[in-house]
Amino acid sequence: MRFSDQFLDEIRQRLPITQVVGEHVMWDKRKSQPGKGDMWACCPFHGEKSPSFHADDRRGIYHCFGCGVSGDHFRFLIEKAGMSFPEAVEKLAGMAGVPMPSATSGRKSARPSARA
Ligand SMILES: [Zn+2]
């Protein structure tokens, strides 16, 4: 299924990207400035001992100056948690408190509830 840009933007606006990334990294207390939404951590995508991974709430993106990864809320979960795009959207919509579009006709109820 496809999601409208408006819907995706609403999630990005309501949900600080540092909250999404923060579930997967330990912020560096000395380098980070929570009041500015300017947070640093050791990169979860490559091994390092000094933090060169940056997440910026004002721009809604993350970027690693070590290995060069970058992206937004959705991309982080796809790359880090191995989710598909629709899975990432569903999780982030839940975190942001944005209701999912109701156009998911049939697809959702078709999901098997039994254990695989
Ligand atoms: Zn990196």
Side-chain angles (χ1 to χ4, degrees):
M1 88 166 267
R2 301 193 56 184
F3 301 98
S4 70
D5 288 341
Q6 193 185 3
F7 172 69
L8 299 177
D9 279 345
E10 193 174 353
I11 294 173
R12 290 191 192 97
Q13 281 166 17
R14 284 213 207 181
L15 186 64
I17 193 164
T18 54
Q19 189 181 331
V20 180
V21 174
E23 291 192 347
H24 297 270
V25 303
M26 288 282 289
W27 297 121
D28 183 84
K29 289 202 175 69
R30 270 179 285 180
K31 210 169 174 182
S32 298
Q33 302 182 66
K36 291 183 175 179
D38 181 7
M39 304 296 280
W40 293 83
C42 286
C43 179
F45 296 102
H46 82 280
E48 63 176 5
K49 286 178 181 163
S50 61
S52 53
F53 181 85
H54 183 224
D56 186 337
D57 278 341
R58 283 171 301 185
R59 295 200 291 159
I61 57 164
Y62 64 88
H63 178 73
C64 175
F65 292 87
C67 66
V69 296
S70 65
D72 63 6
H73 303 53
F74 307 102
R75 181 152 185 108
F76 183 83
L77 285 187
I78 291 165
E79 300 278 319
K80 176 60 188 159
M83 291 184 177
S84 67
F85 181 68
E87 284 169 345
V89 170
E90 193 170 351
K91 169 159 170 101
L92 294 170
M95 285 173 74
V98 179
M100 291 289 284
S102 54
T104 56
S105 54
R107 186 103 192 255
K108 238 180 170 175
S109 55
R111 185 180 292 179
S113 54
R115 274 178 291 171

